[in-house]
Amino acid sequence: MRTDSSPGTLPAREHLPAGDAGTPVLDVVIPVYNEEKDLQPCVRRLHEHLTRTFPYAFRITIADNASTDTTPLVAARLEAEIPEVTNFRLEQKGRGRALRTVWSASEAPILAYMDVDLSTDLNALLPLVAPLISGHSDLAIGSRLAPASRVVRGPKRELISRAYNLILRGSLQARFSDAQCGFKAIRRDVAQVLLPLVEDTGWFFDTEMLVLAERAGLRIHEVPVDWVDDPDSTVHIVKTATDDLKGVWRVGKALATGSLPLDRLTRPFGDDPRDRGLANVPTGLARQLVGFCVVGGLSTLFYLLLYSVFRQFSGSQIANALALLVSAIANTAANRRLTFGVRGRGGAVRHQAQGLVVFGIGLALTSGSLAALNAAGSSPAHSTELAVLIAANLAATVLRFLLFRAWVFPERGGSNAGSTVVASHPLSSPTYSTSTTPPHGTTAPYAPLPQRPVPYPQPCPTATQVRAGEAADGSWRDATMRLQPVRPHDTDPGDPR
């Protein structure tokens, strides 16, 4: 698993401003391998749909994954006939490799891809990219498993798809509903930081990208789609499923060991409306109180359940200590992530150590209460023990929140101690050839959103050259670069496409 990444955290999302400029807003990539039959009708249908419905400048990029049939000739002919179409050929197979290569070099602020069979109805394309243009979301995916989706496919593929997503939910705690639908989009500023962390070059590329984005706290928008299965699909189901399971294991291991710098993908403090200060209230206090109460209530139920179990084979003091220890570890971890918004593994051991100190205080309160109860009566009823413990835990809960807020997770510089540091040179939205006066209070580069020219925009770059976007060091270079695979030494001999 790679651990390198581009420097700096992501800037706050902003709506791409409207205007007239030459750079395409949307770059739709179609990865293909030996698709000489389907490529031309797919591109022409997609081009007609975008021309008719999409209000801004666009480009369609054909990414040829080392095809051995006449696919390169078909792609070259389409590029020559349609100004908005360009193509690029990779000499190695791998859908993920093709997407990362083209997306990494594209200058369009919104990057998308779809499968060449166009199984997904194109009416979902504008709803897919609209949340990214508006600044509402970081990534967008089509979902065949959403309640409002309409899907036509055989029971075998239905079972495999649902089983795979259940595996993702159970092993990687994924919350998105459909990882495999070939209909996705991403903001370019997010892609520049996220793609270097994605290792897979084949079909697991989508899943790995979504899991890392979700774990980093990025917003993923899901669009219900109408989807019809392609009976002539060349995907090798068994091998693809095996490779996906290997990818799940690899990513799960990397997340468990903390080898991925996901803090590089976080948005700055204040981008989330819940992080904004309230008048006459300390920063985040209201939200922290709600989160702490929810976590505390669940922890208390968990603690009482554990106590009842341990009490079956041990004395009250031992059962109380064991139940409180286990629930305290879970409580600290939950408050760390949910109440105080600390992400990543940095400082987790220290936080747990401090949480155990707080646990010791709670243990003293509850143990003292039990000792007092036993001193008052020789054999108190179990219900009486639970009532005393609840009262003692309420007192310990108030003290625990105060210690968590002031000592374990203190606020420093207007943000939580565990919040990621905003980079001194944050990535900004791409600038275009035509600029307008920035709105009041805006200091970052501000440029209009390219409208689609009438009848057609200028020809797109050739298949072997694209305009370089923002460099990794945050600067902008007005130059052309030859598009090459990100890691040309990679090999993927078993890729099904």
Side-chain angles (χ1 to χ4, degrees):
M1 176 64 65
R2 302 182 64 189
T3 58
D4 58 312
S5 66
S6 301
T9 52
L10 290 169
R13 289 185 298 264
E14 293 183 358
H15 193 304
L16 298 178
D20 185 15
T23 303
V25 171
L26 174 65
D27 190 351
V28 183
V29 180
I30 304 177
V32 294
Y33 173 70
N34 288 349
E35 297 288 356
E36 58 184 1
K37 177 182 177 181
D38 295 334
L39 180 57
Q40 178 167 311
C42 163
V43 172
R44 292 193 180 279
R45 178 182 165 193
L46 174 60
H47 178 264
E48 186 277 332
H49 178 83
L50 287 171
T51 303
R52 179 169 49 86
T53 64
F54 194 67
Y56 308 113
F58 64 86
R59 178 170 64 221
I60 301 172
T61 301
I62 303 170
D64 179 13
N65 301 286
S67 294
T68 57
D69 60 2
T70 61
T71 296
L73 299 178
V74 176
R77 184 168 63 250
L78 290 168
E79 181 183 32
E81 295 176 358
I82 305 176
E84 293 87 358
V85 174
T86 185
N87 81 88
F88 174 73
R89 177 176 172 83
L90 290 88
E91 298 303 328
Q92 293 174 297
K93 293 170 62 177
R95 182 180 68 168
R97 178 182 289 110
L99 291 175
R100 180 170 56 226
T101 302
V102 177
W103 279 356
S104 296
S106 179
E107 79 281 14
I110 306 299
L111 309 168
Y113 97 88
M114 62 181 60
D115 291 337
V116 69
D117 55 18
L118 294 186
S119 295
T120 304
D121 183 60
L122 292 178
N123 287 329
L125 182 55
L126 186 56
L128 182 80
V129 300
L132 308 186
I133 293 175
S134 69
H136 175 271
S137 301
D138 299 292
L139 299 91
I141 65 174
S143 175
R144 298 164 296 183
L145 302 180
S149 298
R150 294 185 295 178
V151 178
V152 178
R153 60 178 168 182
K156 180 180 178 181
R157 287 183 176 270
E158 181 76 11
L159 177 62
I160 292 175
S161 179
R162 291 188 179 275
Y164 180 64
N165 283 282
L166 285 176
I167 292 174
L168 293 181
R169 289 176 178 269
S171 60
L172 300 179
Q173 289 78 51
R175 296 189 298 273
F176 48 85
S177 65
D178 192 351
Q180 295 175 310
C181 183
F183 196 70
K184 296 181 175 68
I186 185 173
R187 286 177 64 101
R188 176 176 172 266
D189 58 347
V190 176
Q192 285 182 317
V193 186
L194 176 59
L195 295 184
L197 299 179
V198 180
E199 180 177 334
D200 191 80
T201 60
W203 291 91
F204 188 68
F205 174 88
D206 302 50
T207 301
E208 185 171 355
M209 178 180 68
L210 292 175
V211 169
L212 298 185
E214 188 175 72
R215 285 299 187 95
L218 299 181
R219 179 177 292 161
I220 301 175
H221 179 76
E222 295 197 11
V223 178
V225 298
D226 298 338
W227 194 87
V228 179
D229 189 19
D230 178 14
D232 299 324
S233 175
T234 60
V235 178
H236 300 167
I237 296 179
V238 176
K239 187 183 186 313
T240 301
T242 302
D243 292 340
D244 286 347
L245 292 177
K246 292 179 180 178
V248 170
W249 170 260
R250 174 176 53 80
V251 172
K253 181 180 179 182
L255 292 173
T257 58
S259 60
L260 285 169
L262 297 182
D263 58 321
R264 301 294 187 182
L265 298 172
T266 56
R267 291 291 183 183
F269 184 82
D271 183 55
D272 190 328
R274 293 171 299 178
D275 292 333
R276 297 171 188 169
L278 303 176
N280 302 320
V281 177
T283 305
L285 177 59
R287 178 168 57 87
Q288 290 175 0
L289 280 172
V290 173
F292 186 82
C293 289
V294 172
V295 171
L298 295 176
S299 297
T300 300
L301 294 177
F302 184 49
Y303 161 79
L304 294 175
L305 176 62
L306 290 175
Y307 177 82
S308 298
V309 173
F310 294 147
R311 190 67 175 85
Q312 301 298 319
F313 54 84
S314 64
S316 61
Q317 293 289 2
I318 295 178
N320 174 64
L322 291 175
L324 196 57
L325 176 61
V326 175
S327 61
I329 294 175
N331 180 275
T332 300
N335 277 307
R336 181 177 186 270
R337 174 64 178 86
L338 302 176
T339 303
F340 298 96
V342 181
R343 294 167 177 160
R345 298 177 63 88
V349 175
R350 175 175 57 83
H351 293 154
Q352 283 292 351
Q354 292 173 312
L356 289 178
V357 174
V358 179
F359 151 75
I361 298 175
L363 178 62
L365 286 174
T366 54
S367 297
S369 300
L370 283 176
L373 179 63
N374 290 328
S378 58
S379 57
H382 181 65
S383 58
T384 305
E385 286 183 348
L386 291 180
V388 171
L389 287 175
I390 290 174
N393 267 286
L394 288 176
T397 297
V398 175
L399 183 60
R400 186 183 303 120
F401 177 75
L402 296 176
L403 290 175
F404 272 172
R405 182 173 169 80
W407 180 47
V408 183
F409 308 107
E411 294 180 352
R412 298 171 184 171
S415 64
N416 293 334
S419 300
T420 55
V421 179
V422 178
S424 58
H425 300 286
L427 297 175
S428 59
S429 300
T431 55
Y432 306 110
S433 57
T434 302
S435 61
T436 59
T437 303
H440 178 70
T442 301
T443 58
Y446 191 81
L449 187 63
Q451 303 284 348
R452 187 174 69 244
V454 179
Y456 293 110
Q458 295 297 320
C460 297
T462 64
T464 57
Q465 286 187 337
V466 296
R467 285 186 57 83
E470 186 178 10
D473 59 3
S475 62
W476 287 87
R477 300 171 183 173
D478 187 9
T480 57
M481 59 178 287
R482 187 168 296 274
L483 190 60
Q484 297 290 344
V486 173
R487 293 178 295 184
H489 61 278
D490 281 351
T491 59
D492 196 6
D495 199 306
R497 294 185 68 174

